[in-house]
Amino acid sequence: LQPPEKPLDAEEWNRLRENFRLPEVFEEVMLNNMIRCNSHIDVAKSLLTHVAKRNGDVAYNILVKYLTLCVQQGQVSEIHDVYDIMKARFKILEIGAYNLLIKGLSNSDQWRMALTILEEAKKIMIPSRTSYESCIKAASRHQDMNLAFELHNEMLAKNVVPTLDVLQSFFDFSRGVKGAELQKELFGILLYLRENQIYPHKTFMQSIKLWFESIPGENWRGHLTNIKDSGQCPVCNHQLEDSNLSEEEYNNLSERIIRDVIHGTDTFRKTSPQEFEAFQTFVENRLPFDIVIDGLNVSHIKPRKMQCENLFDAIKCLAKENARLLVLGRKHMLVNSSNWKREIMKEMQNKADFFFAENITEDDAFLLYATLRSGKHCKFVTRDFLRDHKACLSDSLTRHLFRKWQRGHQIVLKPMVSSLFSQQPAFRYDCVVQTTGDTWHIPYKEVFEEKYSYRIPRKWLCIQQKR
């Protein structure tokens, strides 16, 4: 159904509608195609006029489709008209219409109108991230940074997670502006990255660097660098925070995880209390381990290789220096199959302790329990990010400790071309944004990653203030 090139009269629209297979959805399909082809607004308007004359009014979903086309083309006065019609006819709108109205108006010189609509939306729902961010960007573009930060803080308070794109825009729009309040807000964003273990991508990092260097009279200088294994920054010689927890922090964390995550509702959804008890007894009789391995997870590292060979290669790589290993396996590994060869399994069991859980068991809780019970030195191997467990920890301090412990104890295995693995050891220094007041160290990724990753970046931005 190709949209016409020019506006049609009632008779022409009727003819097209009658020839269409499903006349009852003709207008919807036609408008969808107009959006796709970015048809001239007058063509769409002539269809709406025809519908209004025929039916006495225009249905909500048809108005929303027309609105989509108006927003796509930045037709501000049309957006206004549709809003007036909708307000007069419908008591409340749904989230899609609010998003469109806010997006369309925030990109125009009538951007303050978008704020009015945001306020209206707030009365009936938590506005979407898109709506908030449209208004934040509009305020930033017009240099109303106070308003932009107010909206940003409100968004966080409502647990609406901002995109990196909008966080970056704060640094872009604040370049060259002096002000203690503004600086405090931007430092707040850097601490938000720290708190949530978020690594900015390269362009975001560049925005941060340029902002620091542009603050009038403050003399900040940024350099890109790699931190030494010892945790020392080669640029400013500053020693980064240690990734080790103090005894007290470790004991607190260990108690909390064992109480909230393992004995909480979390574990037994995927395992039985009897199985977990058997596992605890097994672990207590064999403590302490040096490394705990999520066997099934590691067995998938190289997709083209037999699973038991992947696991065996990893065990050989980790068993150097007589480390005591515990491998969490599944019962199906004991059944001779194309992926699990009995003789290889036997050989592996000479090198490591194995605990075989039921096939349906979720083994993260087992992994955490065995690692934490073994003590501060014990590391673990999985390619998972363990995000669910962080969510079970109710307060932000414990979540922060959990992430810090994870960063310092999770070993990442990377497949090599041969049968070997290279081991990215757990870091001795803590890989998060950190500051001493006159220095900032910000780890960053080369490329933007939508998904969280357990891979910790190797590249850092060092910013120092020259007195």
Side-chain angles (χ1 to χ4, degrees), residues 28-71:
E28 277 197 54
V29 175
M30 178 55 85
L31 278 162
N32 280 339
N33 288 341
M34 285 183 185
I35 293 165
R36 205 187 66 242
C37 304
N38 204 19
S39 298
H40 195 283
I41 203 77
D42 290 346
V43 180
K45 218 184 215 174
S46 78
L47 175 60
L48 246 65
T49 310
H50 164 63
V51 172
K53 280 185 180 152
R54 191 188 69 218
N55 300 346
D57 63 14
V58 180
Y60 184 87
N61 58 337
I62 299 290
L63 278 172
V64 170
K65 289 195 187 303
Y66 177 65
L67 180 60
T68 307
L69 186 65
C70 297
V71 171

Side-chain angles (χ1 to χ4, degrees), residues 204-454:
F204 184 2
M205 176 278 295
Q206 292 287 4
S207 292
I208 296 170
K209 178 177 183 290
L210 290 170
W211 170 71
F212 266 104
E213 293 175 340
S214 78
I215 306 171
E218 294 231 342
N219 208 8
W220 290 94
R221 282 291 158 267
H223 296 276
L224 309 188
T225 185
N226 292 335
I227 303 293
K228 297 175 185 168
D229 286 342
S230 65
Q232 193 183 42
C233 169
V235 178
C236 65
N237 295 324
H238 181 73
Q239 187 68 33
L240 294 194
E241 291 170 35
D242 196 323
S243 65
N244 274 329
L245 304 187
S246 69
E247 281 302 326
E248 191 186 348
E249 287 175 328
Y250 180 79
N251 293 337
N252 274 344
L253 178 70
S254 173
E255 257 169 56
R256 283 296 299 275
I257 289 185
I258 286 170
R259 190 183 75 212
D260 294 3
V261 178
I262 294 172
H263 293 313
T265 50
D266 198 35
T267 320
F268 300 129
R269 265 182 264 151
K270 310 260 175 60
T271 176
S272 67
Q274 294 77 8
E275 181 177 46
F276 197 70
E277 258 168 53
F279 174 68
Q280 282 177 293
T281 311
F282 174 91
V283 168
E284 297 300 326
N285 290 337
R286 291 168 177 76
L287 283 176
F289 296 102
D290 298 313
I291 302 174
V292 182
I293 302 166
D294 180 343
L296 196 59
N297 185 291
V298 168
S299 74
H300 289 286
I301 284 187
K302 293 183 184 176
R304 288 205 261 309
K305 249 186 126 166
M306 211 192 296
Q307 283 175 296
C308 62
E309 285 183 348
N310 271 335
L311 183 55
F312 200 17
D313 288 345
I315 288 174
K316 284 186 286 206
C317 163
L318 294 162
K320 294 170 188 144
E321 289 141 32
N322 297 326
R324 291 204 56 218
L325 310 182
L326 168 62
V327 180
L328 301 172
R330 299 292 168 84
K331 292 204 165 143
H332 72 255
M333 296 177 176
L334 294 167
V335 180
N336 203 24
S337 67
S338 59
N339 256 318
W340 298 100
K341 295 277 176 259
R342 189 163 285 146
E343 58 280 11
I344 297 180
M345 286 303 292
K346 275 218 173 76
E347 235 182 300
M348 273 193 257
Q349 285 167 276
N350 294 330
K351 287 190 179 292
D353 279 304
F354 270 77
F355 181 85
F356 295 97
E358 292 299 336
N359 294 330
I360 53 158
T361 300
E362 190 60 66
D363 47 18
D364 284 356
F366 288 49
L367 182 85
L368 290 173
Y369 182 82
T371 310
L372 288 163
R373 286 291 298 125
S374 292
K376 263 172 83 168
H377 73 288
C378 184
K379 308 275 194 277
F380 64 91
V381 185
T382 178
R383 287 148 69 221
D384 280 349
F385 203 62
L386 308 181
R387 291 190 73 183
D388 301 351
H389 302 296
K390 179 186 156 221
C392 296
L393 298 164
S394 49
D395 64 292
S396 65
L397 178 66
T398 315
R399 282 200 293 270
H400 175 71
L401 288 179
F402 177 66
R403 277 277 169 255
K404 184 173 177 176
W405 172 77
Q406 182 185 357
R407 287 190 296 269
H409 289 77
Q410 184 164 0
I411 294 173
V412 175
L413 291 177
K414 287 189 187 153
M416 307 276 274
V417 183
S418 62
S419 69
L420 298 168
F421 290 103
S422 79
Q423 189 180 328
Q424 181 177 317
F427 286 83
R428 287 173 49 189
Y429 55 90
D430 199 9
C431 196
V432 279
V433 172
Q434 37 191 283
T435 179
T436 60
D438 57 1
T439 67
W440 281 85
H441 288 90
I442 299 167
Y444 69 93
K445 297 253 167 147
E446 274 294 315
V447 289
F448 169 66
E449 283 177 5
E450 184 59 72
K451 217 171 127 304
Y452 260 32
S453 161
Y454 55 81

